[in-house]
Amino acid sequence: MTKDVIALTPEMPDLPTLLAGLYAGGPDLGVNTTADGAVVQLCSPDGRPLVSVEAPILVQVPGETTRLLDHTVADGPVWWTEARASTAVAEAARLAGSFAGRLATVLGGTVWPPEAATTDVVPLTTDVSAIPAPATGTPAVDVLTDTTAVVIQDRPLIAMTSWLSDALRTATATDRALQIVTPPTARLTLPTRTALRGLPNRWVVQDPEHGYYDGLSGAVLHWKNGIFTPVHDEQGTTRVAEAFTPTPDTGDRQLILTLRTRHPADENLVLGRALETAFQHLTGAPPAGWSTAEPVNLPWFTRQLTDLARARAPRPTWLVAVGHPDRPALATVRVFRTPAGVEEDITLAIGYGGDEAPPLDTVEDLAAELAAQHGLVTLLTSLRAARRDLTVPSHLELPSIPVTFTLGHDETERIGPAHAEHPPQHPTPARLGPTAQPALHYRLGDGTDARAWTTFQRLVQHLKQT
């Protein structure tokens, strides 16, 4: 049974309802709080956490429960209350299911996964005194060593939830790797994949037939000295798991934009407008919502996200934005201060089926608007054969292929227009905007020929030779 159980209710669970749920284990179990009151824990009589419950989140963005859980609820906002069971105690998963089932029964909602729901009293029969006390106060972390925080997840889609985001922050702050262990059927959302790109962070797939392997690289892994590390053959080469096979080409494609913007750090700055412009050009609508974690719960509002980033400055702010349900679109944004001003690092991915053509012909107009109005520094557009729903399976996926590259006005001026406009080999760029200070837009291919990477790499090397 899954250790993660979610109650989805039309009304906010109030304190009496939460307490009714927490009495799923009977009156002998205790209740305490952690994370400054944001997490409530159901504990054994000696104080060991059995179930941790995060503060309810009001999800106001259409389609989020379907995107993350493949679980449809009634139209309108829904309260998302997530419970995580300890993996060390046999009864904990059933306690989490009973907690969620009681909330749904009282408030008229549903439970994910549906089979976990119950309202039974679950007596604690395990001798918890024989179980080592948790080494961490972070509820998402199941195993903590000197070098690694291990999170065990068995849900079909691993999203960058606030639990997981907190575990990543804690691991980073203590100079540890974050390693997420899942079954081979699990997939990642793009925000989670982005978070695990930097080694020694890993997605560890536990395959019943092939052992452990890295879900992004295919490297065979083993647990050694408190961390999952690659297994090498006699020549020192990393072994690749037999299960890490290429995904069949279904015709699905992802259009990926990687861009950076730069703005003066003044009181009139409004962040998020470059991303909003990209969404509007490519999907026909602005983002549906934004948040600092998944599920994305807040309606799109640039002023609100600007206020958050300003309140956190000079620390960086990381955000997620999502599109409307009819067009899979997902973005991550990192806002940070530099001596030159305030910068946004944005990655936007949009999914298309085999019978849908990505709108490559609109990219140049988008680049021109970003350069003219939104402080564009650089924009790389690429295309990859990957799932329309933007999720990441634990199989080999081919890298994206560059389509276009754009230098903003200031970046062109810094490099020198004469140098930037005349790479030793094609492509010759199109000029965008004012003649005296143009942005430069390079066409690299149509997203089908991997040789475009060579063209792009030569271009980048040329641009660096200033």
Side-chain angles (χ1 to χ4, degrees):
M1 180 180 291
T2 179
K3 71 168 186 174
D4 299 336
V5 185
I6 302 166
L8 302 162
T9 59
E11 299 178 27
M12 179 180 179
D14 56 14
L15 183 58
T17 306
L18 289 171
L19 288 174
L22 289 167
Y23 274 113
D28 293 336
L29 301 186
V31 176
N32 64 23
T33 62
T34 185
D36 296 325
V39 175
V40 179
Q41 293 181 322
L42 179 63
C43 302
S44 64
D46 66 349
R48 297 169 192 264
L50 304 174
V51 177
S52 299
V53 180
E54 193 175 38
I57 302 169
L58 179 60
V59 179
Q60 304 174 70
V61 179
E64 273 297 272
T65 57
T66 300
R67 180 177 75 87
L68 297 179
L69 305 176
D70 195 22
H71 183 88
T72 304
V73 297
D75 292 338
V78 63
W79 287 93
W80 174 300
T81 307
E82 186 159 348
R84 293 181 55 80
S86 166
T87 55
V89 180
E91 295 85 3
R94 289 190 290 128
L95 282 168
S98 183
F99 165 81
R102 290 172 177 227
L103 261 60
T105 299
V106 172
L107 300 174
T110 62
V111 172
W112 179 91
E115 65 273 13
T118 178
T119 57
D120 297 342
V121 174
V122 181
L124 181 62
T125 59
T126 299
D127 181 8
V128 295
S129 64
I131 299 172
T136 173
T138 305
V141 174
D142 296 285
V143 177
L144 189 72
T145 72
D146 291 341
T147 59
T148 313
V150 178
V151 176
I152 300 172
Q153 292 268 275
D154 56 4
R155 54 211 287 175
L157 187 61
I158 313 302
M160 184 48 62
T161 61
S162 56
W163 299 98
L164 204 50
S165 181
D166 179 59
L168 178 61
R169 281 194 301 270
T170 302
T172 302
T174 56
D175 199 26
R176 288 181 169 94
L178 177 68
Q179 299 191 332
I180 303 175
V181 181
T182 78
T185 53
R187 291 167 286 123
L188 307 183
T189 64
L190 285 179
T192 306
R193 177 185 180 175
T194 300
L196 294 179
R197 277 180 180 161
L199 294 176
N201 295 342
R202 288 189 187 275
W203 176 17
V204 180
V205 177
Q206 185 177 15
D207 190 292
E209 297 181 2
H210 301 281
Y212 296 99
Y213 67 92
D214 189 301
L216 298 179
S217 71
V220 174
L221 303 173
H222 62 165
W223 181 256
K224 184 177 181 181
N225 298 327
I227 190 170
F228 283 101
T229 58
V231 175
H232 300 100
D233 60 21
E234 294 178 355
Q235 287 73 41
T237 303
T238 300
R239 290 172 49 197
V240 177
E242 295 180 15
F244 195 70
T245 55
T247 54
D249 188 353
T250 62
D252 286 6
R253 295 292 183 269
Q254 293 177 9
L255 180 63
I256 302 174
L257 279 70
T258 305
L259 62 144
R260 173 171 288 192
T261 65
R262 183 179 298 132
H263 317 276
D266 60 45
E267 60 183 12
N268 297 317
L269 172 62
V270 178
L271 298 168
R273 287 179 172 170
L275 180 60
E276 183 175 272
T277 297
F279 262 87
Q280 192 73 53
H281 266 264
L282 299 171
T283 72
W290 74 283
S291 186
T292 57
E294 295 176 290
V296 174
N297 65 313
L298 299 171
W300 180 251
F301 189 15
T302 54
R303 175 56 67 182
Q304 191 177 29
L305 67 87
T306 301
D307 289 344
L308 174 67
R310 182 173 285 119
R312 290 185 171 186
R315 295 172 298 160
T317 295
W318 184 86
L319 308 170
V320 184
V322 69
H324 295 270
D326 58 339
R327 169 60 63 199
L330 193 62
T332 59
V333 183
R334 182 173 178 267
V335 180
F336 57 101
R337 287 293 301 269
T338 69
V342 179
E343 301 197 8
E344 298 170 288
D345 271 346
I346 301 170
T347 300
L348 167 62
I350 307 172
Y352 299 90
D355 58 347
E356 300 172 309
L360 300 181
D361 56 345
T362 68
V363 172
E364 183 171 330
D365 289 342
L366 169 60
E369 184 170 346
L370 292 173
Q373 300 183 25
H374 301 293
L376 179 69
V377 179
T378 57
L379 165 64
L380 174 64
T381 303
S382 58
L383 200 62
R384 70 193 302 250
R387 295 173 60 110
R388 183 183 187 272
D389 65 8
L390 306 179
T391 65
V392 182
S394 58
H395 293 278
L396 176 63
E397 290 190 313
L398 296 177
S400 59
I401 298 176
V403 176
T404 65
F405 180 68
T406 309
L407 287 176
H409 302 291
D410 291 347
E411 197 69 3
T412 299
E413 186 68 21
R414 184 188 66 80
I415 293 171
H419 181 78
E421 287 189 77
H422 298 93
Q425 301 180 21
H426 291 296
T428 300
R431 285 170 154 248
L432 307 178
T435 302
Q437 194 180 14
L440 299 180
H441 183 70
Y442 304 84
R443 297 180 183 87
L444 306 172
D446 62 1
T448 62
D449 188 346
R451 288 178 295 183
W453 271 117
T454 301
T455 303
F456 177 59
Q457 289 165 355
R458 288 173 178 168
L459 173 61
V460 170
Q461 288 300 316
H462 172 71
L463 296 175
K464 288 180 176 179
Q465 295 168 2
T466 56

